Short mmCIF file of all heavy atoms in Angstrom, two decimals:
data_model
loop_
_atom_site.label_atom_id
_atom_site.label_comp_id
_atom_site.label_asym_id
_atom_site.label_seq_id
_atom_site.Cartn_x
_atom_site.Cartn_y
_atom_site.Cartn_z
N LYS C 61 125.75 86.62 110.87
CA LYS C 61 125.60 87.41 112.17
C LYS C 61 125.29 86.49 113.31
O LYS C 61 124.44 86.73 114.10
CB LYS C 61 124.61 88.51 112.02
CG LYS C 61 125.06 89.51 111.02
CD LYS C 61 123.97 90.60 110.76
CE LYS C 61 124.37 91.61 109.73
NZ LYS C 61 124.81 91.11 108.46
N ILE C 62 126.03 85.37 113.38
CA ILE C 62 125.94 84.41 114.46
C ILE C 62 127.32 84.15 115.03
O ILE C 62 128.31 84.52 114.42
CB ILE C 62 125.25 83.09 114.02
CG1 ILE C 62 126.07 82.33 113.01
CG2 ILE C 62 123.81 83.31 113.56
CD1 ILE C 62 125.52 80.97 112.65
N ARG C 63 127.38 83.54 116.20
CA ARG C 63 128.66 83.20 116.84
C ARG C 63 129.33 82.09 116.03
O ARG C 63 128.69 81.24 115.47
CB ARG C 63 128.47 82.84 118.27
CG ARG C 63 127.91 83.90 119.12
CD ARG C 63 127.88 83.45 120.59
NE ARG C 63 127.21 84.39 121.42
CZ ARG C 63 127.81 85.53 121.92
NH1 ARG C 63 129.05 85.79 121.59
NH2 ARG C 63 127.18 86.30 122.68
N SER C 64 130.72 82.10 116.14
CA SER C 64 131.48 81.07 115.44
C SER C 64 131.11 79.69 115.91
O SER C 64 131.04 78.78 115.06
CB SER C 64 132.99 81.35 115.71
OG SER C 64 133.44 82.47 115.13
N ALA C 65 130.85 79.50 117.23
CA ALA C 65 130.48 78.18 117.69
C ALA C 65 129.22 77.73 117.04
O ALA C 65 129.03 76.52 116.73
CB ALA C 65 130.36 78.23 119.26
N SER C 66 128.24 78.64 116.96
CA SER C 66 126.87 78.30 116.31
C SER C 66 127.14 77.93 114.83
O SER C 66 126.52 76.99 114.32
CB SER C 66 125.93 79.47 116.44
OG SER C 66 125.73 79.73 117.78
N ALA C 67 128.02 78.71 114.18
CA ALA C 67 128.35 78.35 112.79
C ALA C 67 128.97 76.98 112.67
O ALA C 67 128.65 76.25 111.65
CB ALA C 67 129.18 79.46 112.22
N THR C 68 129.82 76.64 113.59
CA THR C 68 130.45 75.32 113.52
C THR C 68 129.43 74.24 113.63
O THR C 68 129.42 73.25 112.89
CB THR C 68 131.48 75.22 114.66
OG1 THR C 68 132.48 76.17 114.40
CG2 THR C 68 132.11 73.86 114.66
N VAL C 69 128.44 74.40 114.55
CA VAL C 69 127.34 73.40 114.74
C VAL C 69 126.51 73.34 113.43
O VAL C 69 126.17 72.27 112.94
CB VAL C 69 126.46 73.78 115.90
CG1 VAL C 69 125.27 72.91 116.01
CG2 VAL C 69 127.27 73.65 117.21
N LEU C 70 126.24 74.49 112.91
CA LEU C 70 125.45 74.60 111.62
C LEU C 70 126.19 73.84 110.50
O LEU C 70 125.60 73.01 109.81
CB LEU C 70 125.22 76.02 111.29
CG LEU C 70 124.40 76.33 110.06
CD1 LEU C 70 123.56 77.61 110.27
CD2 LEU C 70 125.21 76.49 108.84
N VAL C 71 127.46 74.14 110.31
CA VAL C 71 128.25 73.48 109.28
C VAL C 71 128.35 72.01 109.46
O VAL C 71 128.23 71.20 108.58
CB VAL C 71 129.70 74.14 109.18
CG1 VAL C 71 130.55 73.28 108.24
CG2 VAL C 71 129.55 75.56 108.68
N ASP C 72 128.52 71.55 110.76
CA ASP C 72 128.53 70.13 111.04
C ASP C 72 127.23 69.50 110.59
O ASP C 72 127.24 68.37 110.02
CB ASP C 72 128.74 69.86 112.54
CG ASP C 72 130.13 70.16 113.06
OD1 ASP C 72 131.10 70.33 112.24
OD2 ASP C 72 130.29 70.32 114.24
N ARG C 73 126.08 70.12 110.91
CA ARG C 73 124.77 69.63 110.54
C ARG C 73 124.66 69.52 109.03
O ARG C 73 124.19 68.52 108.41
CB ARG C 73 123.70 70.48 111.13
CG ARG C 73 122.33 70.05 110.92
CD ARG C 73 121.29 70.91 111.71
NE ARG C 73 121.31 72.31 111.37
CZ ARG C 73 121.61 73.29 112.23
NH1 ARG C 73 121.99 73.00 113.46
NH2 ARG C 73 121.59 74.55 111.82
N LEU C 74 125.09 70.59 108.34
CA LEU C 74 124.98 70.62 106.86
C LEU C 74 125.88 69.58 106.22
O LEU C 74 125.56 68.94 105.22
CB LEU C 74 125.27 72.02 106.30
CG LEU C 74 124.20 73.12 106.60
CD1 LEU C 74 124.73 74.45 106.11
CD2 LEU C 74 122.87 72.73 105.94
N GLU C 75 127.11 69.37 106.80
CA GLU C 75 128.02 68.39 106.29
C GLU C 75 127.41 67.01 106.53
O GLU C 75 127.50 66.18 105.60
CB GLU C 75 129.38 68.51 107.01
CG GLU C 75 130.44 67.66 106.40
CD GLU C 75 131.84 67.88 107.00
OE1 GLU C 75 131.84 68.07 108.21
OE2 GLU C 75 132.80 67.80 106.27
N SER C 76 126.95 66.72 107.65
CA SER C 76 126.35 65.38 107.93
C SER C 76 125.20 65.10 107.02
O SER C 76 124.99 63.91 106.62
CB SER C 76 125.80 65.39 109.41
OG SER C 76 126.82 65.42 110.27
N ALA C 77 124.43 66.11 106.61
CA ALA C 77 123.33 65.90 105.68
C ALA C 77 123.73 65.81 104.21
O ALA C 77 122.96 65.59 103.33
CB ALA C 77 122.28 67.07 105.84
N GLY C 78 125.05 66.02 104.03
CA GLY C 78 125.55 65.97 102.62
C GLY C 78 125.40 67.16 101.81
O GLY C 78 125.60 67.22 100.61
N HIS C 79 125.14 68.33 102.50
CA HIS C 79 124.90 69.58 101.77
C HIS C 79 126.22 70.37 101.54
O HIS C 79 126.26 71.16 100.66
CB HIS C 79 123.85 70.49 102.48
CG HIS C 79 122.49 69.85 102.55
ND1 HIS C 79 121.80 69.45 101.46
CD2 HIS C 79 121.70 69.48 103.61
CE1 HIS C 79 120.64 68.92 101.84
NE2 HIS C 79 120.57 68.95 103.12
N VAL C 80 127.14 70.22 102.50
CA VAL C 80 128.37 70.98 102.53
C VAL C 80 129.54 70.12 102.63
O VAL C 80 129.49 69.07 103.27
CB VAL C 80 128.28 72.00 103.63
CG1 VAL C 80 129.67 72.71 103.84
CG2 VAL C 80 127.30 73.10 103.40
N ARG C 81 130.63 70.45 102.06
CA ARG C 81 131.88 69.69 102.14
C ARG C 81 132.99 70.68 102.64
O ARG C 81 133.09 71.81 102.14
CB ARG C 81 132.26 69.15 100.79
CG ARG C 81 133.48 68.29 100.78
CD ARG C 81 133.72 67.65 99.30
NE ARG C 81 133.75 68.68 98.23
CZ ARG C 81 132.79 68.85 97.36
NH1 ARG C 81 131.74 68.11 97.35
NH2 ARG C 81 132.87 69.78 96.47
N ARG C 82 133.79 70.22 103.59
CA ARG C 82 134.93 71.01 104.01
C ARG C 82 136.12 70.62 103.19
O ARG C 82 136.31 69.43 102.88
CB ARG C 82 135.29 70.72 105.50
CG ARG C 82 134.27 71.32 106.51
CD ARG C 82 134.71 70.90 107.91
NE ARG C 82 134.01 71.70 108.94
CZ ARG C 82 133.01 71.25 109.65
NH1 ARG C 82 132.51 70.06 109.43
NH2 ARG C 82 132.43 72.01 110.56
N GLY C 83 136.92 71.59 102.79
CA GLY C 83 138.12 71.31 102.01
C GLY C 83 139.16 72.33 102.18
O GLY C 83 138.98 73.32 102.85
N PRO C 84 140.34 72.10 101.65
CA PRO C 84 141.43 73.08 101.83
C PRO C 84 141.16 74.34 101.04
O PRO C 84 140.59 74.35 99.98
CB PRO C 84 142.68 72.33 101.17
CG PRO C 84 142.06 71.32 100.27
CD PRO C 84 140.76 70.95 100.82
N HIS C 85 141.65 75.45 101.55
CA HIS C 85 141.53 76.81 100.91
C HIS C 85 142.48 76.77 99.70
O HIS C 85 143.52 76.13 99.73
CB HIS C 85 142.00 77.86 101.89
CG HIS C 85 141.74 79.22 101.41
ND1 HIS C 85 142.59 79.83 100.54
CD2 HIS C 85 140.71 80.11 101.72
CE1 HIS C 85 142.13 81.06 100.31
NE2 HIS C 85 141.01 81.20 100.95
N PRO C 86 142.07 77.35 98.60
CA PRO C 86 142.87 77.31 97.39
C PRO C 86 144.27 77.96 97.51
O PRO C 86 145.12 77.50 96.79
CB PRO C 86 141.95 78.02 96.34
CG PRO C 86 140.89 78.71 97.04
CD PRO C 86 140.82 78.06 98.38
N SER C 87 144.43 78.89 98.42
CA SER C 87 145.70 79.56 98.46
C SER C 87 146.30 79.64 99.81
O SER C 87 147.47 80.03 99.97
CB SER C 87 145.59 80.97 97.87
OG SER C 87 144.68 81.70 98.65
N ASP C 88 145.55 79.20 100.86
CA ASP C 88 146.06 79.29 102.22
C ASP C 88 145.87 77.96 102.87
O ASP C 88 144.79 77.61 103.33
CB ASP C 88 145.32 80.41 103.00
CG ASP C 88 145.81 80.59 104.41
OD1 ASP C 88 146.62 79.78 104.93
OD2 ASP C 88 145.43 81.60 105.05
N ARG C 89 146.99 77.18 102.96
CA ARG C 89 146.85 75.79 103.52
C ARG C 89 146.38 75.76 104.97
O ARG C 89 145.91 74.73 105.43
CB ARG C 89 148.23 75.14 103.49
CG ARG C 89 148.76 74.86 102.04
CD ARG C 89 150.06 74.15 102.11
NE ARG C 89 150.62 74.10 103.41
CZ ARG C 89 151.93 73.79 103.66
NH1 ARG C 89 152.78 73.61 102.69
NH2 ARG C 89 152.37 73.70 104.87
N ARG C 90 146.45 76.82 105.69
CA ARG C 90 146.02 76.82 107.10
C ARG C 90 144.52 76.92 107.22
O ARG C 90 143.98 76.65 108.30
CB ARG C 90 146.65 78.02 107.85
CG ARG C 90 148.21 77.99 107.87
CD ARG C 90 148.77 79.27 108.30
NE ARG C 90 148.41 80.29 107.34
CZ ARG C 90 148.49 81.60 107.53
NH1 ARG C 90 148.96 82.11 108.64
NH2 ARG C 90 148.19 82.44 106.55
N ARG C 91 143.83 77.33 106.20
CA ARG C 91 142.41 77.49 106.27
C ARG C 91 141.62 76.39 105.64
O ARG C 91 142.09 75.73 104.70
CB ARG C 91 142.02 78.84 105.59
CG ARG C 91 142.59 80.05 106.29
CD ARG C 91 142.06 81.34 105.73
NE ARG C 91 140.67 81.37 105.81
CZ ARG C 91 139.89 82.17 105.15
NH1 ARG C 91 140.35 82.99 104.20
NH2 ARG C 91 138.52 82.17 105.32
N ILE C 92 140.38 76.19 106.10
CA ILE C 92 139.47 75.31 105.50
C ILE C 92 138.33 76.09 104.86
O ILE C 92 137.86 77.09 105.45
CB ILE C 92 138.88 74.36 106.57
CG1 ILE C 92 139.95 73.53 107.29
CG2 ILE C 92 137.77 73.48 106.07
CD1 ILE C 92 140.61 72.53 106.37
N THR C 93 137.89 75.66 103.67
CA THR C 93 136.76 76.35 103.07
C THR C 93 135.61 75.38 102.98
O THR C 93 135.73 74.19 103.01
CB THR C 93 137.15 76.85 101.61
OG1 THR C 93 137.55 75.73 100.78
CG2 THR C 93 138.21 77.87 101.64
N LEU C 94 134.42 75.99 102.83
CA LEU C 94 133.18 75.27 102.76
C LEU C 94 132.65 75.35 101.35
O LEU C 94 132.66 76.43 100.71
CB LEU C 94 132.23 75.85 103.76
CG LEU C 94 132.71 75.97 105.15
CD1 LEU C 94 131.73 76.84 106.03
CD2 LEU C 94 132.86 74.64 105.82
N THR C 95 132.17 74.22 100.84
CA THR C 95 131.63 74.14 99.49
C THR C 95 130.25 73.44 99.53
O THR C 95 130.11 72.47 100.17
CB THR C 95 132.60 73.35 98.57
OG1 THR C 95 133.90 73.89 98.69
CG2 THR C 95 132.14 73.41 97.11
N VAL C 96 129.34 74.00 98.82
CA VAL C 96 128.02 73.40 98.65
C VAL C 96 128.19 72.24 97.70
O VAL C 96 128.81 72.42 96.63
CB VAL C 96 126.95 74.39 98.15
CG1 VAL C 96 125.64 73.69 97.96
CG2 VAL C 96 126.80 75.57 99.10
N THR C 97 127.74 71.05 98.09
CA THR C 97 127.84 69.89 97.23
C THR C 97 126.96 69.94 96.01
O THR C 97 125.95 70.65 96.01
CB THR C 97 127.53 68.60 98.04
OG1 THR C 97 126.18 68.59 98.35
CG2 THR C 97 128.44 68.41 99.24
N GLU C 98 127.36 69.21 95.00
CA GLU C 98 126.52 69.28 93.76
C GLU C 98 125.14 68.72 93.98
O GLU C 98 124.14 69.26 93.51
CB GLU C 98 127.26 68.55 92.61
CG GLU C 98 126.66 68.82 91.27
CD GLU C 98 126.40 70.31 90.98
OE1 GLU C 98 127.30 71.20 91.19
OE2 GLU C 98 125.28 70.62 90.54
N PRO C 99 124.95 67.59 94.75
CA PRO C 99 123.57 67.23 95.08
C PRO C 99 122.74 68.21 95.80
O PRO C 99 121.55 68.32 95.46
CB PRO C 99 123.76 65.91 95.96
CG PRO C 99 125.15 65.41 95.59
CD PRO C 99 125.93 66.64 95.32
N ALA C 100 123.33 68.99 96.64
CA ALA C 100 122.62 70.02 97.36
C ALA C 100 122.24 71.13 96.36
O ALA C 100 121.10 71.62 96.39
CB ALA C 100 123.46 70.63 98.48
N ARG C 101 123.18 71.49 95.50
CA ARG C 101 122.85 72.51 94.47
C ARG C 101 121.69 72.03 93.60
O ARG C 101 120.80 72.83 93.25
CB ARG C 101 124.05 72.80 93.58
CG ARG C 101 125.16 73.60 94.26
CD ARG C 101 126.35 73.81 93.34
NE ARG C 101 127.48 74.41 94.04
CZ ARG C 101 127.64 75.68 94.27
NH1 ARG C 101 126.70 76.54 93.83
NH2 ARG C 101 128.70 76.10 94.90
N ALA C 102 121.69 70.77 93.20
CA ALA C 102 120.64 70.26 92.39
C ALA C 102 119.27 70.27 93.10
O ALA C 102 118.25 70.61 92.53
CB ALA C 102 120.99 68.81 91.88
N GLU C 103 119.34 69.96 94.41
CA GLU C 103 118.14 69.94 95.24
C GLU C 103 117.57 71.39 95.31
O GLU C 103 116.37 71.57 95.24
CB GLU C 103 118.45 69.40 96.61
CG GLU C 103 117.26 69.06 97.46
CD GLU C 103 117.66 68.46 98.77
OE1 GLU C 103 118.78 67.94 98.91
OE2 GLU C 103 116.82 68.47 99.69
N ILE C 104 118.45 72.37 95.53
CA ILE C 104 117.98 73.70 95.64
C ILE C 104 117.43 74.23 94.30
O ILE C 104 116.41 74.85 94.20
CB ILE C 104 119.19 74.63 96.07
CG1 ILE C 104 119.54 74.31 97.52
CG2 ILE C 104 118.85 76.12 95.94
CD1 ILE C 104 120.92 74.80 97.95
N ARG C 105 118.15 73.87 93.18
CA ARG C 105 117.66 74.29 91.85
C ARG C 105 116.20 73.66 91.61
O ARG C 105 115.33 74.33 91.11
CB ARG C 105 118.61 73.81 90.77
CG ARG C 105 119.77 74.73 90.51
CD ARG C 105 120.49 74.38 89.21
NE ARG C 105 121.07 73.05 89.20
CZ ARG C 105 122.27 72.75 89.71
NH1 ARG C 105 123.03 73.63 90.21
NH2 ARG C 105 122.67 71.49 89.66
N ALA C 106 116.05 72.43 92.00
CA ALA C 106 114.71 71.75 91.79
C ALA C 106 113.64 72.47 92.66
O ALA C 106 112.52 72.64 92.19
CB ALA C 106 114.85 70.24 92.10
N ALA C 107 114.03 72.79 93.90
CA ALA C 107 113.02 73.45 94.75
C ALA C 107 112.62 74.85 94.27
O ALA C 107 111.52 75.31 94.40
CB ALA C 107 113.58 73.51 96.14
#
Side-chain angles (χ1 to χ4, degrees):
K61 296 172 181 55
I62 62 176
R63 296 186 186 280
S64 293
S66 298
T68 298
V69 171
L70 182 147
V71 170
D72 288 345
R73 183 171 61 244
L74 290 174
E75 187 177 39
S76 292
H79 297 303
V80 169
R81 182 177 55 253
R82 287 178 167 102
H85 189 278
S87 61
D88 184 348
R89 294 183 349 197
R90 299 167 296 168
R91 294 187 62 199
I92 299 294
T93 58
L94 307 169
T95 307
V96 178
T97 64
E98 195 47 49
R101 287 179 189 276
E103 192 177 341
I104 293 166
R105 278 193 299 272

